Amino acid sequence: MTESKRFARLPEPIRPEDMVEEVDTRAIPDPEGGRDTDRDFLIRYGLGGL
């Protein structure tokens, strides 16, 4: 099939009413697991020199 025949006929247009936008609504898990990572860092590295 030649290129000119391949694109000679376009597909049927889609109505705007038929278009649906999908949005992911799942809850994003807490990357820190509920822990206070700043406090953990200070305990581990910041207060060790006192």
Side-chain angles (χ1 to χ4, degrees), residues 2-50:
T2 64
E3 289 295 317
S4 61
K5 287 188 177 186
R6 182 177 170 200
F7 297 107
R9 185 172 183 276
L10 296 175
E12 295 296 320
I14 299 172
R15 299 181 322 173
E17 302 87 43
D18 295 335
M19 296 181 195
V20 178
E21 179 180 353
E22 293 186 19
V23 178
D24 188 11
T25 58
R26 292 178 288 168
I28 299 172
D30 182 11
E32 297 167 351
R35 298 178 56 194
D36 184 2
T37 56
D38 293 331
R39 180 189 57 89
D40 293 346
F41 181 85
L42 284 176
I43 291 172
R44 184 174 296 137
Y45 301 108
L47 298 178
L50 294 178

